[in-house]
Amino acid sequence: MASGTRIDFSAYDDEAKVFTVVQYIEILNTFLKREVVRITGEVSELKRAASGHVYFTIKDKDAPGVIDCIIWSRNYQLCGVALEVGMEVILSGHPNIYAPSGRLSFVADTVELVGEGALKKAYDDLRKKLEAEGLFAEERKRALPDYVSRIGVVTSMKGAVIHDFMNNLGRFGFRVRGIDSRVEGQQSVKPLLAAVRAMRAETREGGAAAEDAIEALVVIRGGGSLESLQGFNNETLVREIVDFPVPVIAGIGHDQDVPLMALAADYMTSTPTAAAHLLNRSWEAARMKLEQAARIHVRVGNELARVKADLALARGALIDHMTDGIARLRERLAHADQVVRLNDPARQLKLGYAIARKRGKVLRSAEALVHGDAVDVQLADGTVRTRVDRSPLL
Amino acid sequence: MATKPKKEKEQGKERTAAAAPGAFTRHLEEIAAILEWFDSQEELDIEKALEKVKQASTLIKESRTRLGELENEFEEIKAGIEGDQ
């Protein structure tokens, strides 16, 4: 039976069925593949093939026992651990029988260092290397645009972290695209990488439509030890973050050593809540400005209303003053006219009084006249010439 | 060139006189002065009185004409202000 041919497992229960060696080994491998375990031991032999695959042996520290191991080239590059003889490691993977030799090997998917000391050394060495390359430099960091509304989130969707983040994200119409990922230990490397790479496809550079493309990536998890955060110290993941097309916010809690992925991100916060607040910032500033503008608008409106009322009052007062003034002037002129008429000497003449003049001068006293004087008497309708007769009155 | 009738010419003269800046106020002051003169006379000087009566009559007439013009102007302004409400 050729490798890859579908196996009929129903035949396995048939005691009469006879399998070939290869068929049987394939059946065994199918069962063995399900036995994903983690084993620990000390690397005792090591060989790196031209293909990049690594063949090594680990031995039990406490008892005689060895097992051959293989880690495929792609997984070895991903794991971020440079295997050395004498190194104590934890391997995650499954057993496998190599049909041509019939030998059992352990196929490792991931490799972890054992012990805080080893982890710390690996962390320090990698940090130094990446720092020297300038991956953590401030000049590299990109500013978060204002009013980001479409964000991608990578985290475990099962924990409290995502709830904290979403609850603290303001009501500004954010559209959140989330991808679930393991975030614990070395086993989180592949899922994190896959999630970040999937998010790349959600950016404009990755081919998403402009109106749907995410404007920022947020990677969050709660606090943890160096061992717990191993996935976030993976070199391949760090480089993926450095090359990510839009700004990246890392909201990863940590004990002492800052996760390398956070150092590479454009923004680093210590908690997922702080990451949410960072996204809210420009929106909150805009809201405050709008509220301020609204207050100014109300104040200006009130002031305008007050001025309008004042103008109306002034208008009314003006009209009243003018109307009164004109009426008073009219009365004053009427009064003046009446006084002038009353004092008009011509009026006295109409009443029967006369004005007597001698040689053109108004006479005020009879003493000024002598017999025979010519006196002009002005009456209402004309003047007559008279002569003074001083003869005694009869 | 046609000439204006005498009355209109005279009326025009009167309008021009009262309409000159400050003339209306001066006219009122002169009228007040004449009335004060009449009040102050214990014995009326007839000739002066006649003269002052004539003067006052002219001033009163001009002032009334000018007051009418001012009132018309005010009515126009008032209509404009009330129209803006």
Side-chain angles (χ1 to χ4, degrees), chain B residues 11-27 58-59 61-67 69-70:
Chain B
Q11 279 173 350
K13 263 196 213 164
E14 285 163 6
R15 259 205 301 276
T16 306
F24 182 66
T25 307
R26 280 197 301 276
H27 281 14
T58 307
L59 288 170
K61 191 173 177 186
E62 282 178 8
S63 298
R64 276 181 165 153
T65 306
R66 182 64 186 140
L67 187 62
E69 288 166 7
L70 288 172

mmCIF file of all heavy atoms in Angstrom, chain B residues 11-27 58-59 61-67 69-70:
data_model
loop_
_atom_site.group_PDB
_atom_site.id
_atom_site.type_symbol
_atom_site.label_atom_id
_atom_site.label_comp_id
_atom_site.label_asym_id
_atom_site.label_seq_id
_atom_site.Cartn_x
_atom_site.Cartn_y
_atom_site.Cartn_z
ATOM 1 N N GLN B 11 -41.020 130.524 0.464
ATOM 2 C CA GLN B 11 -41.096 129.319 1.302
ATOM 3 C C GLN B 11 -39.780 128.542 1.240
ATOM 4 O O GLN B 11 -39.282 128.055 2.233
ATOM 5 C CB GLN B 11 -42.251 128.407 0.839
ATOM 6 C CG GLN B 11 -43.596 128.852 1.374
ATOM 7 C CD GLN B 11 -44.717 128.047 0.779
ATOM 8 O OE1 GLN B 11 -44.522 127.274 -0.160
ATOM 9 N NE2 GLN B 11 -45.900 128.208 1.308
ATOM 10 N N GLY B 12 -39.257 128.501 0.045
ATOM 11 C CA GLY B 12 -37.964 127.830 -0.136
ATOM 12 C C GLY B 12 -36.892 128.499 0.709
ATOM 13 O O GLY B 12 -36.106 127.827 1.382
ATOM 14 N N LYS B 13 -36.907 129.812 0.707
ATOM 15 C CA LYS B 13 -35.931 130.562 1.517
ATOM 16 C C LYS B 13 -36.089 130.186 2.990
ATOM 17 O O LYS B 13 -35.118 129.968 3.693
ATOM 18 C CB LYS B 13 -36.201 132.070 1.351
ATOM 19 C CG LYS B 13 -35.306 132.744 0.288
ATOM 20 C CD LYS B 13 -35.360 134.231 0.474
ATOM 21 C CE LYS B 13 -35.230 134.887 -0.913
ATOM 22 N NZ LYS B 13 -35.617 136.265 -0.915
ATOM 23 N N GLU B 14 -37.398 130.138 3.419
ATOM 24 C CA GLU B 14 -37.671 129.852 4.845
ATOM 25 C C GLU B 14 -37.141 128.464 5.187
ATOM 26 O O GLU B 14 -36.523 128.262 6.213
ATOM 27 C CB GLU B 14 -39.185 129.880 5.112
ATOM 28 C CG GLU B 14 -39.723 131.303 5.148
ATOM 29 C CD GLU B 14 -41.245 131.309 4.992
ATOM 30 O OE1 GLU B 14 -41.843 130.208 4.967
ATOM 31 O OE2 GLU B 14 -41.787 132.395 4.889
ATOM 32 N N ARG B 15 -37.454 127.489 4.261
ATOM 33 C CA ARG B 15 -36.982 126.113 4.524
ATOM 34 C C ARG B 15 -35.478 126.094 4.633
ATOM 35 O O ARG B 15 -34.923 125.486 5.516
ATOM 36 C CB ARG B 15 -37.435 125.188 3.383
ATOM 37 C CG ARG B 15 -38.635 124.364 3.733
ATOM 38 C CD ARG B 15 -38.710 123.106 2.923
ATOM 39 N NE ARG B 15 -38.759 123.361 1.487
ATOM 40 C CZ ARG B 15 -39.877 123.650 0.821
ATOM 41 N NH1 ARG B 15 -41.029 123.723 1.427
ATOM 42 N NH2 ARG B 15 -39.832 123.880 -0.468
ATOM 43 N N THR B 16 -34.828 126.752 3.709
ATOM 44 C CA THR B 16 -33.369 126.757 3.709
ATOM 45 C C THR B 16 -32.826 127.335 5.012
ATOM 46 O O THR B 16 -31.918 126.781 5.613
ATOM 47 C CB THR B 16 -32.835 127.603 2.536
ATOM 48 O OG1 THR B 16 -33.426 127.131 1.342
ATOM 49 C CG2 THR B 16 -31.327 127.491 2.434
ATOM 50 N N ALA B 17 -33.446 128.407 5.498
ATOM 51 C CA ALA B 17 -32.955 129.074 6.701
ATOM 52 C C ALA B 17 -33.047 128.167 7.920
ATOM 53 O O ALA B 17 -32.102 128.022 8.680
ATOM 54 C CB ALA B 17 -33.753 130.360 6.934
ATOM 55 N N ALA B 18 -34.231 127.538 8.085
ATOM 56 C CA ALA B 18 -34.427 126.708 9.285
ATOM 57 C C ALA B 18 -33.664 125.404 9.191
ATOM 58 O O ALA B 18 -33.373 124.777 10.201
ATOM 59 C CB ALA B 18 -35.913 126.423 9.458
ATOM 60 N N ALA B 19 -33.408 124.955 7.932
ATOM 61 C CA ALA B 19 -32.752 123.671 7.753
ATOM 62 C C ALA B 19 -31.253 123.760 7.933
ATOM 63 O O ALA B 19 -30.582 122.739 8.043
ATOM 64 C CB ALA B 19 -33.058 123.118 6.367
ATOM 65 N N ALA B 20 -30.699 124.972 7.948
ATOM 66 C CA ALA B 20 -29.249 125.095 8.133
ATOM 67 C C ALA B 20 -28.895 124.495 9.483
ATOM 68 O O ALA B 20 -29.669 124.594 10.439
ATOM 69 C CB ALA B 20 -28.858 126.571 8.088
ATOM 70 N N PRO B 21 -27.696 123.859 9.570
ATOM 71 C CA PRO B 21 -27.321 123.183 10.824
ATOM 72 C C PRO B 21 -27.384 124.135 12.018
ATOM 73 O O PRO B 21 -26.833 125.233 11.962
ATOM 74 C CB PRO B 21 -25.886 122.731 10.576
ATOM 75 C CG PRO B 21 -25.735 122.683 9.111
ATOM 76 C CD PRO B 21 -26.647 123.709 8.549
ATOM 77 N N GLY B 22 -28.099 123.727 13.045
ATOM 78 C CA GLY B 22 -28.179 124.524 14.253
ATOM 79 C C GLY B 22 -29.196 125.646 14.191
ATOM 80 O O GLY B 22 -29.491 126.292 15.211
ATOM 81 N N ALA B 23 -29.790 125.903 13.037
ATOM 82 C CA ALA B 23 -30.703 127.046 12.873
ATOM 83 C C ALA B 23 -31.969 126.872 13.692
ATOM 84 O O ALA B 23 -32.444 127.819 14.331
ATOM 85 C CB ALA B 23 -31.053 127.237 11.406
ATOM 86 N N PHE B 24 -32.490 125.661 13.690
ATOM 87 C CA PHE B 24 -33.733 125.395 14.415
ATOM 88 C C PHE B 24 -33.569 125.689 15.890
ATOM 89 O O PHE B 24 -34.399 126.367 16.503
ATOM 90 C CB PHE B 24 -34.137 123.931 14.191
ATOM 91 C CG PHE B 24 -35.435 123.531 14.846
ATOM 92 C CD1 PHE B 24 -36.633 124.084 14.429
ATOM 93 C CD2 PHE B 24 -35.452 122.613 15.871
ATOM 94 C CE1 PHE B 24 -37.841 123.728 15.033
ATOM 95 C CE2 PHE B 24 -36.655 122.232 16.470
ATOM 96 C CZ PHE B 24 -37.850 122.795 16.048
ATOM 97 N N THR B 25 -32.483 125.225 16.457
ATOM 98 C CA THR B 25 -32.201 125.480 17.879
ATOM 99 C C THR B 25 -32.049 126.973 18.134
ATOM 100 O O THR B 25 -32.587 127.514 19.110
ATOM 101 C CB THR B 25 -30.918 124.747 18.311
ATOM 102 O OG1 THR B 25 -31.027 123.389 17.952
ATOM 103 C CG2 THR B 25 -30.684 124.859 19.796
ATOM 104 N N ARG B 26 -31.346 127.657 17.235
ATOM 105 C CA ARG B 26 -31.161 129.124 17.405
ATOM 106 C C ARG B 26 -32.501 129.834 17.339
ATOM 107 O O ARG B 26 -32.772 130.749 18.105
ATOM 108 C CB ARG B 26 -30.221 129.657 16.325
ATOM 109 C CG ARG B 26 -28.752 129.421 16.622
ATOM 110 C CD ARG B 26 -27.879 130.313 15.760
ATOM 111 N NE ARG B 26 -28.090 130.098 14.332
ATOM 112 C CZ ARG B 26 -27.489 129.144 13.635
ATOM 113 N NH1 ARG B 26 -26.679 128.294 14.224
ATOM 114 N NH2 ARG B 26 -27.725 129.014 12.334
ATOM 115 N N HIS B 27 -33.353 129.400 16.409
ATOM 116 C CA HIS B 27 -34.689 130.014 16.283
ATOM 117 C C HIS B 27 -35.443 129.889 17.602
ATOM 118 O O HIS B 27 -36.047 130.864 18.081
ATOM 119 C CB HIS B 27 -35.502 129.315 15.185
ATOM 120 C CG HIS B 27 -35.133 129.741 13.801
ATOM 121 N ND1 HIS B 27 -34.001 130.441 13.515
ATOM 122 C CD2 HIS B 27 -35.780 129.554 12.622
ATOM 123 C CE1 HIS B 27 -33.942 130.673 12.210
ATOM 124 N NE2 HIS B 27 -35.018 130.147 11.636
ATOM 125 N N THR B 58 -42.320 135.389 12.422
ATOM 126 C CA THR B 58 -41.520 134.759 11.360
ATOM 127 C C THR B 58 -40.782 133.540 11.907
ATOM 128 O O THR B 58 -40.781 132.471 11.293
ATOM 129 C CB THR B 58 -40.500 135.766 10.785
ATOM 130 O OG1 THR B 58 -41.178 136.953 10.378
ATOM 131 C CG2 THR B 58 -39.726 135.178 9.616
ATOM 132 N N LEU B 59 -40.182 133.718 13.056
ATOM 133 C CA LEU B 59 -39.421 132.613 13.665
ATOM 134 C C LEU B 59 -40.332 131.431 13.973
ATOM 135 O O LEU B 59 -39.956 130.277 13.720
ATOM 136 C CB LEU B 59 -38.741 133.087 14.956
ATOM 137 C CG LEU B 59 -37.549 134.027 14.786
ATOM 138 C CD1 LEU B 59 -37.123 134.604 16.128
ATOM 139 C CD2 LEU B 59 -36.371 133.305 14.133
ATOM 140 N N LYS B 61 -43.159 130.640 12.544
ATOM 141 C CA LYS B 61 -43.586 130.013 11.293
ATOM 142 C C LYS B 61 -42.496 129.105 10.723
ATOM 143 O O LYS B 61 -42.748 127.954 10.344
ATOM 144 C CB LYS B 61 -43.948 131.123 10.295
ATOM 145 C CG LYS B 61 -44.657 130.637 9.050
ATOM 146 C CD LYS B 61 -45.110 131.811 8.224
ATOM 147 C CE LYS B 61 -45.752 131.274 6.960
ATOM 148 N NZ LYS B 61 -46.094 132.351 6.059
ATOM 149 N N GLU B 62 -41.277 129.607 10.676
ATOM 150 C CA GLU B 62 -40.147 128.822 10.153
ATOM 151 C C GLU B 62 -39.917 127.571 11.005
ATOM 152 O O GLU B 62 -39.679 126.487 10.477
ATOM 153 C CB GLU B 62 -38.859 129.657 10.139
ATOM 154 C CG GLU B 62 -38.775 130.643 8.987
ATOM 155 C CD GLU B 62 -37.503 131.494 9.036
ATOM 156 O OE1 GLU B 62 -36.619 131.199 9.891
ATOM 157 O OE2 GLU B 62 -37.407 132.420 8.256
ATOM 158 N N SER B 63 -40.001 127.755 12.306
ATOM 159 C CA SER B 63 -39.759 126.629 13.220
ATOM 160 C C SER B 63 -40.811 125.551 13.051
ATOM 161 O O SER B 63 -40.492 124.366 13.071
ATOM 162 C CB SER B 63 -39.758 127.111 14.679
ATOM 163 O OG SER B 63 -38.713 128.028 14.885
ATOM 164 N N ARG B 64 -42.050 125.980 12.868
ATOM 165 C CA ARG B 64 -43.124 124.986 12.673
ATOM 166 C C ARG B 64 -42.887 124.207 11.390
ATOM 167 O O ARG B 64 -43.047 122.990 11.337
ATOM 168 C CB ARG B 64 -44.487 125.687 12.612
ATOM 169 C CG ARG B 64 -45.064 125.952 13.992
ATOM 170 C CD ARG B 64 -46.402 126.609 13.899
ATOM 171 N NE ARG B 64 -47.065 126.522 15.200
ATOM 172 C CZ ARG B 64 -47.967 127.378 15.622
ATOM 173 N NH1 ARG B 64 -48.319 128.406 14.864
ATOM 174 N NH2 ARG B 64 -48.520 127.238 16.819
ATOM 175 N N THR B 65 -42.474 124.890 10.337
ATOM 176 C CA THR B 65 -42.175 124.231 9.058
ATOM 177 C C THR B 65 -41.040 123.225 9.258
ATOM 178 O O THR B 65 -41.127 122.057 8.842
ATOM 179 C CB THR B 65 -41.783 125.244 7.983
ATOM 180 O OG1 THR B 65 -42.789 126.241 7.869
ATOM 181 C CG2 THR B 65 -41.544 124.568 6.637
ATOM 182 N N ARG B 66 -39.996 123.650 9.908
ATOM 183 C CA ARG B 66 -38.849 122.770 10.130
ATOM 184 C C ARG B 66 -39.210 121.582 11.006
ATOM 185 O O ARG B 66 -38.788 120.445 10.752
ATOM 186 C CB ARG B 66 -37.716 123.604 10.770
ATOM 187 C CG ARG B 66 -36.434 122.797 10.999
ATOM 188 C CD ARG B 66 -35.834 122.322 9.707
ATOM 189 N NE ARG B 66 -34.692 121.433 9.951
ATOM 190 C CZ ARG B 66 -34.425 120.336 9.264
ATOM 191 N NH1 ARG B 66 -35.237 119.956 8.285
ATOM 192 N NH2 ARG B 66 -33.363 119.622 9.533
ATOM 193 N N LEU B 67 -40.029 121.825 12.015
ATOM 194 C CA LEU B 67 -40.474 120.744 12.909
ATOM 195 C C LEU B 67 -41.242 119.688 12.115
ATOM 196 O O LEU B 67 -41.084 118.488 12.325
ATOM 197 C CB LEU B 67 -41.331 121.310 14.049
ATOM 198 C CG LEU B 67 -41.720 120.290 15.133
ATOM 199 C CD1 LEU B 67 -40.481 119.733 15.830
ATOM 200 C CD2 LEU B 67 -42.649 120.928 16.156
ATOM 201 N N GLU B 69 -40.810 119.002 8.947
ATOM 202 C CA GLU B 69 -39.818 118.248 8.164
ATOM 203 C C GLU B 69 -39.130 117.200 9.048
ATOM 204 O O GLU B 69 -38.952 116.050 8.646
ATOM 205 C CB GLU B 69 -38.750 119.185 7.589
ATOM 206 C CG GLU B 69 -39.231 120.068 6.451
ATOM 207 C CD GLU B 69 -38.260 121.209 6.141
ATOM 208 O OE1 GLU B 69 -37.140 121.226 6.737
ATOM 209 O OE2 GLU B 69 -38.623 122.058 5.340
ATOM 210 N N LEU B 70 -38.738 117.624 10.249
ATOM 211 C CA LEU B 70 -38.043 116.710 11.179
ATOM 212 C C LEU B 70 -38.950 115.537 11.549
ATOM 213 O O LEU B 70 -38.495 114.393 11.613
ATOM 214 C CB LEU B 70 -37.622 117.470 12.450
ATOM 215 C CG LEU B 70 -36.471 118.455 12.278
ATOM 216 C CD1 LEU B 70 -36.296 119.274 13.548
ATOM 217 C CD2 LEU B 70 -35.172 117.738 11.956
#
